Amino acid sequence: MGNPRGFLDFKRKEFSKIPAKDRIKNYKEFVILHDKKEQQIQASRCMDCGVAFCHAGLKSAGKDIGCPLNNLIPEFNDAIYKGLWEQAYKRLSITNPFPEFTGRVCPAPCEDSCVCAINTDSVTIKNNELAIIENAFKEGFVKAKTKTKESGVKIAIIGSGPAALACADELNSLGHKVSVFERSDRLGGLLMYGIPDMKLDKSIINRRIKLLEQSGIEFKTKQNIDSKQKVQKLKKEFDYIVLCTGASKPLNLDIKGRELEGVMYALDFLSQNTKDLLNTGKASSLAKDKDVLIIGSGDTSVDCVAVAVRAGAKSIKRFERSPIRASTRTKQDPWPLKADIFSTDYGLEEAIEHYGYDPRIYQKMTKEFIGEKGRVKAVLASDLRQEFKDGKKINLEVENSVKEYKADLVLLAMGFEGSEDSIRENFAVDFDEKRNILTNNYQSSDEQIFACGDARLGQSLVVWAIKDGILCARAIHERLSIKKEKIC
């Protein structure tokens, strides 16, 4: 199996990208896939390890080890290497229902856990995955699933993000009647409105949803289940309800001046831009000619940088509370854990190219928003220094370090703190201490209601949401089987 010398004979080669100066002129995807010959070379670098970690799907010290979906990575790599593209697709689709999503937006913990990554460059697993699925669509390998049986059980899914779609797909395949309720005007949840087009073109989401519809899943948009009366109606109509509502309450920065116009959540900024593009063909002008400050350091902040550059921002800064990361693994960050090392993602690359400077400013704590005539015009921020106390890292404010920074648009990209209060109130389910829906084998405190994805896990990766959706569907199906056995 595989090419035993591939990782020695060939170097890792990433997909090409349209140059930053050109791609910031539009919102189109800018990654250029390899031709099949080059992709086969890249797949040949897989060692077919005796004990592979790339598909482990574990967590240690809060970090991922390998693919959460347990993708059969050595197997699909070998199929690509041998030119067996349909077989590669079949192996990939056993575990991953939506590789076109993960192949674009997943941070690829599988690659950091690749044995090659111990002392050289890992295999291009994520790129191989995307090449497989895009070739499969091109060649007509991807078909809508057909049901072999009908259980008569009706299940309502609230939300239409990755967990919801995965749960719906699995439940449908198991023979149940599934209806998906989405409060927005379009399907996809954060895939649709939380990730910019250049990272995930919306036609890719619609392409998959069309297949899910053809397989028998019912989708309903503009369906906000926002009252106890609506919940009770659903409970009468459906046998089970699954909450896939996400960790949709953003973390706030409750400091002086928060009420000023121009201080907004990052997700609202991204959502507005996508809606404007879809509805009018023109992007939002929220950031045009603005001094933009982004507070936060995750993927959402990078997306905000990319959108602000394209919108014509006058300047961009990004505050991070943490110090700059190390360029290589440390003792606290050993293989095969997901590497926590310094990198420059696409939006930051674009800002550096466009403005001539890196927008990242490290170890900053925002203390106050300063306004004029009701609108933000600047922020006050101090420096932080990091110390260890009782074995834990803590941030301490540096005395007399407060400075003023110009900003007439501030985007809060600090993550999310769990589910919205209305979920607990309207669905009458218990939350845990982190504001996630409390579950036991995916079942909430109400035996008719299940939960999965970020609503249950807290803020997580798309790939974990997909995995959780699949496992939730199987938990419901298992419960139905147990009930049926008791009746018989």
Side-chain angles (χ1 to χ4, degrees):
M1 179 176 176
N3 178 358
R5 288 190 52 85
F7 71 100
L8 296 172
D9 293 341
F10 304 106
K11 292 187 179 297
R12 177 184 172 102
K13 185 177 180 181
E14 297 282 2
F15 288 152
S16 299
K17 297 178 183 177
I18 295 171
K21 64 183 177 64
D22 296 322
R23 68 187 191 232
I24 63 173
K25 297 175 183 177
N26 57 60
Y27 287 83
K28 297 178 182 178
E29 289 189 358
F30 53 83
V31 170
I32 303 169
L33 275 63
H34 295 314
D35 58 32
K36 284 188 175 180
K37 183 179 179 181
E38 179 58 45
Q39 203 66 59
Q40 287 172 221
I41 289 172
Q42 290 302 305
S44 78
R45 295 185 67 246
C46 181
M47 299 166 62
D48 183 24
C49 308
V51 180
F53 286 80
C54 57
H55 53 58
L58 303 172
K59 278 187 177 290
S60 177
K63 293 184 179 180
D64 294 319
I65 300 177
C67 175
L69 284 166
N70 310 114
N71 285 340
L72 304 172
I73 293 166
E75 294 184 30
F76 70 60
N77 281 338
D78 185 58
I80 297 174
Y81 165 58
K82 293 175 178 175
L84 304 173
W85 286 87
E86 185 172 8
Q87 181 178 321
Y89 165 66
K90 288 180 178 178
R91 301 311 288 171
L92 175 58
S93 60
I94 288 172
T95 53
N96 189 348
F98 313 129
E100 66 271 33
F101 302 155
T102 54
R104 286 174 166 85
V105 305
C106 183
C110 54
E111 294 189 9
D112 288 333
S113 300
C114 172
V115 171
C116 286
I118 296 173
N119 52 22
T120 185
D121 293 330
S122 67
V123 175
T124 55
I125 300 168
K126 179 179 175 179
N127 290 355
N128 293 351
E129 181 177 304
L130 184 56
I132 289 170
I133 188 61
E134 289 306 318
N135 180 73
F137 273 108
K138 182 180 178 181
E139 298 294 336
F141 301 152
V142 188
K143 307 287 187 184
K145 295 179 182 178
T146 55
K147 287 186 182 180
T148 57
K149 56 185 177 181
E150 292 280 357
S151 70
V153 175
K154 296 173 66 179
I155 300 170
I157 293 180
I158 315 302
S160 66
L165 296 180
C167 189
D169 179 55
E170 187 74 6
L171 285 168
N172 183 67
S173 298
L174 292 167
H176 310 304
K177 177 61 180 174
V178 181
S179 297
V180 176
F181 295 79
E182 168 57 53
R183 67 180 175 182
S184 185
D185 59 337
R186 291 180 174 87
L187 299 165
L190 286 179
L191 295 172
M192 178 61 67
Y193 284 133
I195 300 174
D197 293 56
M198 54 277 192
K199 196 170 173 181
L200 176 60
D201 191 276
K202 305 316 166 191
S203 65
I204 302 299
I205 304 168
N206 294 331
R207 178 178 67 180
R208 176 59 67 176
I209 288 173
K210 184 178 180 181
L211 284 169
L212 295 174
E213 285 179 321
Q214 290 172 356
S215 73
I217 298 171
E218 179 183 39
F219 289 95
K220 298 181 178 183
T221 57
K222 300 179 182 178
Q223 299 290 316
N224 194 0
I225 313 302
D226 56 356
S227 69
K228 293 178 181 179
Q229 291 76 20
K230 290 180 180 179
V231 173
Q232 290 305 313
K233 184 179 178 181
L234 279 183
K235 291 181 76 173
K236 290 177 182 177
E237 184 179 351
F238 293 90
D239 298 286
Y240 291 105
I241 296 171
V242 186
L243 296 176
C244 304
T245 46
S248 49
K249 185 173 183 179
L251 280 166
N252 194 17
L253 189 57
D254 190 13
I255 59 176
K256 186 177 179 181
R258 173 62 181 89
E259 77 287 350
L260 292 168
E261 185 182 353
V263 181
M264 63 188 301
Y265 291 119
L267 188 58
D268 292 340
F269 172 74
L270 295 175
S271 298
Q272 186 60 56
N273 193 72
T274 298
K275 285 181 180 179
D276 287 352
L277 278 170
L278 291 170
N279 292 335
T280 69
K282 294 182 179 180
S284 168
S285 59
L286 279 171
K288 186 174 176 59
D289 300 325
K290 297 284 197 313
D291 292 306
V292 178
L293 171 65
I294 300 160
I295 302 175
S297 59
D299 289 342
T300 299
S301 73
V302 174
D303 293 336
C304 286
V305 171
V307 170
V309 171
R310 285 164 175 76
K314 186 192 300 182
S315 70
I316 300 175
K317 294 182 181 67
R318 190 181 84 171
F319 282 178
E320 302 187 23
R321 290 178 64 89
S322 301
I324 190 169
R325 291 175 174 82
S327 58
T328 57
R329 288 184 184 270
T330 65
K331 290 181 179 180
Q332 290 75 38
D333 186 33
W335 183 90
L337 299 181
K338 179 79 178 77
D340 187 20
I341 59 177
F342 180 81
S343 63
T344 301
D345 209 341
Y346 81 106
L348 297 166
E349 290 176 350
E350 293 163 358
I352 293 168
E353 170 72 24
H354 185 67
Y355 298 105
Y357 63 86
D358 192 326
R360 290 171 284 195
I361 302 175
Y362 300 95
Q363 294 182 281
K364 284 290 179 183
M365 181 173 71
T366 310
K367 296 180 69 68
E368 182 181 339
F369 301 118
I370 300 172
E372 186 177 277
K373 296 180 179 179
R375 182 169 186 90
V376 68
K377 69 169 188 176
V379 301
L380 294 179
S382 61
D383 296 335
L384 295 171
R385 58 186 173 85
Q386 197 170 82
E387 290 186 1
F388 283 88
K389 185 176 182 180
D390 299 327
K392 295 182 179 180
K393 293 178 182 178
I394 58 171
N395 289 315
L396 299 174
E397 186 176 356
V398 177
E399 292 183 10
N400 302 318
S401 64
V402 177
K403 295 179 183 177
E404 183 175 311
Y405 296 84
K406 286 182 64 177
D408 46 14
L409 178 63
V410 179
L411 306 176
L412 306 180
M414 303 173 297
F416 297 84
E417 60 173 328
S419 295
E420 297 170 18
D421 292 329
S422 60
I423 300 296
R424 175 164 48 191
E425 294 165 5
N426 295 328
F427 289 89
V429 293
D430 292 341
F431 282 9
D432 64 19
E433 67 280 0
K434 295 182 179 179
R435 300 181 54 84
N436 304 319
I437 299 171
L438 184 66
T439 61
N440 180 13
N441 194 26
Y442 295 91
Q443 189 174 48
S444 76
S445 53
D446 183 323
E447 65 177 16
Q448 195 179 350
I449 300 176
F450 286 68
C452 62
D454 287 4
R456 188 186 79 88
L457 297 170
Q459 185 180 359
S460 188
L461 303 176
V462 166
V463 66
W464 275 112
I466 293 171
K467 176 73 170 186
D468 216 50
I470 294 170
L471 293 179
C472 180
R474 292 174 183 172
I476 294 171
H477 186 69
E478 180 182 356
R479 178 173 173 77
L480 287 166
S481 299
I482 293 171
K483 286 179 68 176
K484 186 176 180 181
E485 287 176 7
K486 287 182 178 179
I487 292 171
C488 293

